[in-house]
Short mmCIF file of all heavy atoms in Angstrom, two decimals:
data_model
loop_
_atom_site.label_atom_id
_atom_site.label_comp_id
_atom_site.label_asym_id
_atom_site.label_seq_id
_atom_site.Cartn_x
_atom_site.Cartn_y
_atom_site.Cartn_z
N HIS A 60 125.65 99.18 106.36
CA HIS A 60 124.27 98.93 106.81
C HIS A 60 123.29 99.67 105.90
O HIS A 60 122.90 100.81 106.15
CB HIS A 60 124.12 99.41 108.26
CG HIS A 60 122.83 98.98 108.90
ND1 HIS A 60 122.72 98.73 110.24
CD2 HIS A 60 121.60 98.77 108.38
CE1 HIS A 60 121.47 98.39 110.53
NE2 HIS A 60 120.77 98.41 109.41
N VAL A 61 122.91 98.96 104.83
CA VAL A 61 122.04 99.56 103.82
C VAL A 61 120.93 98.56 103.49
O VAL A 61 121.18 97.35 103.40
CB VAL A 61 122.87 99.88 102.56
CG1 VAL A 61 122.00 100.12 101.36
CG2 VAL A 61 123.78 101.08 102.81
N HIS A 62 119.72 99.05 103.32
CA HIS A 62 118.62 98.19 102.87
C HIS A 62 118.33 98.51 101.41
O HIS A 62 117.91 99.62 101.09
CB HIS A 62 117.37 98.44 103.72
CG HIS A 62 117.58 98.13 105.17
ND1 HIS A 62 117.36 96.89 105.71
CD2 HIS A 62 118.04 98.89 106.20
CE1 HIS A 62 117.64 96.89 107.00
NE2 HIS A 62 118.06 98.11 107.33
N ARG A 64 116.32 96.52 99.42
CA ARG A 64 114.91 96.12 99.15
C ARG A 64 114.70 95.16 98.01
O ARG A 64 113.56 94.76 97.74
CB ARG A 64 114.04 97.37 98.90
CG ARG A 64 114.09 98.43 99.97
CD ARG A 64 113.65 97.91 101.32
NE ARG A 64 113.50 98.98 102.30
CZ ARG A 64 113.60 98.82 103.60
NH1 ARG A 64 113.86 97.61 104.11
NH2 ARG A 64 113.45 99.82 104.42
N MET A 92 121.56 94.64 103.77
CA MET A 92 120.92 93.83 104.79
C MET A 92 120.00 92.78 104.16
O MET A 92 119.38 93.04 103.12
CB MET A 92 120.12 94.73 105.73
CG MET A 92 121.01 95.48 106.71
SD MET A 92 121.82 94.29 107.81
CE MET A 92 122.91 95.36 108.73
N ASN A 94 117.08 91.60 104.98
CA ASN A 94 115.63 91.56 105.25
C ASN A 94 114.84 91.95 104.01
O ASN A 94 114.03 92.87 104.02
CB ASN A 94 115.25 92.42 106.47
CG ASN A 94 115.49 93.90 106.28
OD1 ASN A 94 116.34 94.30 105.48
ND2 ASN A 94 114.77 94.73 107.00
N SER A 150 123.30 88.92 109.56
CA SER A 150 122.46 89.79 110.36
C SER A 150 121.00 89.39 110.18
O SER A 150 120.61 88.93 109.10
CB SER A 150 122.64 91.25 109.93
OG SER A 150 121.88 92.09 110.77
N ASP A 151 120.21 89.55 111.24
CA ASP A 151 118.75 89.45 111.09
C ASP A 151 118.15 90.84 111.16
O ASP A 151 116.96 91.00 111.48
CB ASP A 151 118.16 88.53 112.18
CG ASP A 151 118.04 87.08 111.70
OD1 ASP A 151 118.50 86.78 110.59
OD2 ASP A 151 117.49 86.24 112.46
N ASP A 152 118.95 91.86 110.83
CA ASP A 152 118.56 93.25 111.03
C ASP A 152 117.12 93.55 110.63
O ASP A 152 116.61 93.03 109.64
CB ASP A 152 119.48 94.19 110.26
CG ASP A 152 119.16 95.64 110.57
OD1 ASP A 152 119.36 96.04 111.71
OD2 ASP A 152 118.69 96.35 109.66
N GLY A 153 116.54 94.42 111.42
CA GLY A 153 115.10 94.67 111.33
C GLY A 153 114.45 93.95 112.50
O GLY A 153 113.44 94.38 113.04
N ARG A 154 115.10 92.84 112.90
CA ARG A 154 114.67 92.06 114.05
C ARG A 154 115.91 91.59 114.82
O ARG A 154 116.96 91.41 114.24
CB ARG A 154 113.93 90.80 113.59
CG ARG A 154 112.61 91.03 112.87
CD ARG A 154 112.02 89.68 112.44
NE ARG A 154 112.01 88.72 113.55
CZ ARG A 154 111.13 88.73 114.54
NH1 ARG A 154 110.18 89.63 114.57
NH2 ARG A 154 111.19 87.83 115.50
N HIS A 179 121.24 93.45 115.52
CA HIS A 179 120.18 94.43 115.76
C HIS A 179 119.74 94.19 117.21
O HIS A 179 119.09 93.18 117.50
CB HIS A 179 119.05 94.18 114.76
CG HIS A 179 117.80 94.95 115.03
ND1 HIS A 179 117.30 95.89 114.16
CD2 HIS A 179 116.92 94.94 116.06
CE1 HIS A 179 116.18 96.41 114.63
NE2 HIS A 179 115.91 95.85 115.80
N ALA A 231 124.86 97.08 115.67
CA ALA A 231 124.28 98.02 114.71
C ALA A 231 123.59 99.17 115.44
O ALA A 231 123.22 99.05 116.61
CB ALA A 231 123.28 97.29 113.81
N HIS A 232 123.45 100.26 114.75
CA HIS A 232 122.70 101.47 115.17
C HIS A 232 122.51 101.66 116.68
O HIS A 232 121.39 101.60 117.18
CB HIS A 232 121.36 101.57 114.44
CG HIS A 232 120.58 100.29 114.28
ND1 HIS A 232 120.31 99.44 115.31
CD2 HIS A 232 120.01 99.75 113.17
CE1 HIS A 232 119.60 98.41 114.86
NE2 HIS A 232 119.42 98.57 113.56
N GLU A 255 128.37 100.78 115.55
CA GLU A 255 128.07 101.84 114.59
C GLU A 255 127.02 102.79 115.16
O GLU A 255 126.25 102.43 116.07
CB GLU A 255 127.55 101.25 113.27
CG GLU A 255 126.09 100.82 113.38
CD GLU A 255 125.55 100.00 112.22
OE1 GLU A 255 126.29 99.21 111.61
OE2 GLU A 255 124.33 100.13 111.97
N THR A 257 124.25 106.02 113.53
CA THR A 257 123.74 106.61 112.28
C THR A 257 123.80 108.14 112.36
O THR A 257 123.79 108.71 113.45
CB THR A 257 122.27 106.22 112.05
OG1 THR A 257 121.47 106.93 113.02
CG2 THR A 257 122.02 104.73 112.18
N ASN A 278 113.76 102.68 113.80
CA ASN A 278 114.05 101.72 114.86
C ASN A 278 115.54 101.38 114.85
O ASN A 278 116.02 100.89 113.84
CB ASN A 278 113.22 100.45 114.64
CG ASN A 278 113.30 99.52 115.84
OD1 ASN A 278 113.67 99.95 116.93
ND2 ASN A 278 113.00 98.25 115.62
N PRO A 279 116.28 101.65 115.93
CA PRO A 279 115.84 102.22 117.19
C PRO A 279 115.41 103.68 117.03
O PRO A 279 115.84 104.35 116.09
CB PRO A 279 117.09 102.10 118.08
CG PRO A 279 118.23 102.11 117.13
CD PRO A 279 117.75 101.37 115.92
N THR A 304 124.61 104.28 107.64
CA THR A 304 123.41 105.10 107.45
C THR A 304 122.13 104.39 107.89
O THR A 304 121.15 105.05 108.20
CB THR A 304 123.21 105.49 105.97
OG1 THR A 304 122.95 104.30 105.21
CG2 THR A 304 124.41 106.22 105.42
N ASP A 305 122.11 103.05 107.89
CA ASP A 305 120.85 102.32 108.02
C ASP A 305 119.85 102.84 106.99
O ASP A 305 118.66 103.01 107.27
CB ASP A 305 120.28 102.44 109.44
CG ASP A 305 119.17 101.41 109.71
OD1 ASP A 305 118.88 100.59 108.82
OD2 ASP A 305 118.59 101.45 110.81
N HIS A 306 120.38 103.09 105.79
CA HIS A 306 119.54 103.54 104.67
C HIS A 306 118.34 102.60 104.54
O HIS A 306 118.50 101.44 104.17
CB HIS A 306 120.38 103.53 103.39
CG HIS A 306 119.65 103.90 102.15
ND1 HIS A 306 119.31 105.20 101.84
CD2 HIS A 306 119.18 103.15 101.11
CE1 HIS A 306 118.67 105.23 100.67
NE2 HIS A 306 118.58 104.00 100.21
N ALA A 307 117.15 103.12 104.85
CA ALA A 307 115.94 102.28 104.89
C ALA A 307 114.83 102.98 104.09
O ALA A 307 113.94 103.62 104.65
CB ALA A 307 115.50 102.05 106.33
ZN1 ZN B 2 118.67 98.27 109.76
#
Side-chain angles (χ1 to χ4, degrees):
H60 190 149
V61 164
H62 299 271
R64 305 301 189 205
M92 284 296 174
N94 64 335
S150 184
D151 267 5
D152 185 65
R154 295 178 48 78
H179 170 117
H232 42 50
E255 78 191 33
T257 71
N278 190 19
T304 66
D305 195 2
H306 177 76

